Amino acid sequence: ENGSVQVYHHSSAYHNPITWREYTNTVVDLTRKYPCKNMLWYPGTKCRVSMPRIVTAVVLLQLLPALMLNILSKMAGKDH
């Protein structure tokens, strides 16, 4: 296709092994070093195995805070 960009990605645990703990620690370190503009809080990570715990964490730590901020924003008369 004209004007399209092809992107190839390759990663191998054999050539460059990394654990999930190393990966998440790197992500957290980099977000503290290069924070996003208007960040409300620094992200954290925790690997969970249990699906009920994953769903609970998503609802409590992502969905509900996002809904609350949207409601407060609308009450303040601000558009997204």
Side-chain angles (χ1 to χ4, degrees):
E1 295 177 28
N2 191 15
S4 67
V5 176
Q6 292 183 350
V7 177
Y8 297 92
H9 174 74
H10 170 75
S11 62
S12 171
Y14 177 77
H15 294 293
N16 189 16
I18 186 169
T19 66
W20 277 109
R21 182 177 303 244
E22 292 170 328
Y23 172 78
T24 56
N25 287 344
T26 300
V27 169
V28 169
D29 291 343
L30 290 173
T31 56
R32 290 179 188 270
K33 187 174 180 179
Y34 306 104
C36 296
K37 185 178 179 182
N38 301 324
M39 189 180 335
L40 297 177
W41 58 76
Y42 287 107
T45 60
K46 182 164 183 140
C47 296
R48 294 175 173 84
V49 182
S50 165
M51 186 55 77
R53 285 186 178 186
I54 292 170
V55 171
T56 301
V58 168
V59 169
L60 292 177
L61 302 175
Q62 294 182 22
L63 183 62
L64 290 179
L67 290 173
M68 291 299 293
L69 288 174
N70 284 345
I71 290 168
L72 291 173
S73 176
K74 287 184 183 204
M75 289 173 56
K78 296 184 179 182
D79 290 329
H80 295 93

